[in-house]
Amino acid sequence: MGLVRQSVTTFASRLLITIVNIPISILVARTLGVEGQGIYAAAAAFPNLWASVWLLGIDAAHTWSLAGRRARLGRILGNTLLWTLALSSVAVPSYLWVVRFLDPEKVRLLLPIIGVTAVAVPVLIARHLLLSTFLGMGQIDRYNILNVLSQAILLMLLVGALLVGNGGPREAVWAYVVSTGILVLVAAIWIGRKRATDDPVKVDGALAKESLSYGLRGYGATVFGQLNYRFDQVLVTQFAGIAPQGHYSIAVLLAEKLSHISNSIQLVLFPKVSASTPQEANRITAAACRHALFWVALAGAALVVFGRLLIRLLYGGDFLPAFGALLLLVPGIFMLTFWKVICVDLSGRNRRFPITVASGLAFIVNTTLNFWWIPRYGILGAAGSSTISYALQSLVVVLLFVKITGVPLRQLVVPQRGDLDVYRRALRRVRTGRMV
């Protein structure tokens, strides 16, 4: 299956996730209110951020090793268990220690469920490691099915917890943890069945060292990247409180729907670049960037025009303060398209240091602006600082990519003569029933 067909399939799964995810956010917002939405959003964002920090880039190493046929599946699965246990033994205690520094007055409603959020950390670590294995195997369909399944299960659990059981934020967070745990279980079973009979599940020390080496070369990029995406939500909670976090989480939720386009290409591109020659990777990445930019710009314009109406219809008038932050986030998500496409290309070439440089610089700018602007401008300050940092890191990584590969900047941005042919061929496949 080619890049376009896999990307379209992945994007279709993302649309399915959105179809489920939007009702999830509506259910939480409508039943728990602004503060309840803020608690739920923070309880999901905090452990996600911490799990990503402690992965050490091992998930990317799994994809890289399998895509390039550098390791067998049984050893990857064995090392997944090893890394989950090892990383969780440090991540969970450190998480519980770090959250003690949150302002108790601003997060008093969140404090009673901190223990529940800590349970999510090892589950999320396992989730990242297992899903990266599917990408390395080229099993994009299984990867997509698992994500859709997880969201569908979460929706059912939330209906039971909030509507049937009349529960609150604690029950909603437990539903999130359990749905993620089910994904981990199903993913492990599927991967186990894909092994060859002569490929036992076992820990491979040499592979573990190689994975750690690969992961650490891009670890700074991973950490800084996740902090750029999620640390603003921590600071909104810390400096502004739970209710503004409820507003901001809705703005982030809607803005990040635009990333489904670039994420769909990103997931497919990494294993392809890992297995390609430099010349072929140049061609694939340039085309992927052009297509992603076009569709994100189109969808972003629609979100700007209809965003206010969308918030009112879906979440109610209490959430309209999210619209201003949404307007500021949309340009940043557009610029982030460059980052998402170029980063996976460089990772596939094992050139991860430039990513670290760009994301580190962006993190410094983002954090400085957040500390300055959030106390003064609230969620508008958080959104503005995010957009500036996204634009900065994208600009830096694009310039580094052009220098490393020799690909002209115009090839990443300016539509080419053959770009329309891609869509014509895709339409012909749809008409003839050969798309899948």
Side-chain angles (χ1 to χ4, degrees), residues 201-216:
V201 176
K202 60 183 296 186
V203 173
D204 186 329
L207 176 62
K209 292 180 182 178
E210 182 181 359
S211 297
L212 183 60
S213 174
Y214 178 89
L216 287 177

Side-chain angles (χ1 to χ4, degrees), residues 46-99:
F46 290 9
N48 258 296
L49 174 61
W50 203 246
S52 298
V53 166
W54 280 101
L55 274 169
L56 305 181
I58 306 300
D59 53 333
H62 278 9
T63 302
W64 182 73
S65 296
L66 284 170
R69 293 181 172 84
R70 301 173 180 91
R72 301 194 72 185
L73 187 56
R75 285 161 176 75
I76 290 289
L77 192 56
N79 281 22
T80 292
L81 178 60
L82 168 69
W83 284 116
T84 299
L85 294 174
L87 297 175
S88 298
S89 67
V90 180
V92 174
S94 60
Y95 175 81
L96 291 172
W97 179 75
V98 166
V99 294

Side-chain angles (χ1 to χ4, degrees), residues 112-143:
I113 57 174
I114 286 295
V116 180
T117 66
V119 174
V121 174
V123 182
L124 289 165
I125 289 174
R127 175 186 182 275
H128 284 293
L129 293 173
L130 289 169
L131 288 181
S132 68
T133 302
F134 284 99
L135 295 179
M137 292 188 296
Q139 295 285 316
I140 305 296
D141 55 343
R142 293 289 177 93
Y143 178 96

Side-chain angles (χ1 to χ4, degrees), residues 301-362:
L303 191 55
V304 168
V305 172
F306 299 107
R308 185 178 182 86
L309 177 63
L310 196 63
I311 292 172
R312 182 183 291 277
L313 289 177
L314 296 181
Y315 305 104
D318 289 345
F319 285 89
L320 283 177
F323 181 62
L326 175 62
L327 289 180
L328 291 174
L329 285 170
V330 168
I333 298 297
F334 172 78
M335 291 300 300
L336 200 61
T337 304
F338 286 103
W339 169 263
K340 287 180 175 290
V341 174
I342 299 303
C343 280
V344 294
D345 176 279
L346 294 176
S347 293
R349 300 172 197 255
N350 200 9
R351 300 291 295 271
R352 309 192 76 195
F353 182 69
I355 307 173
T356 302
V357 172
S359 57
L361 179 61

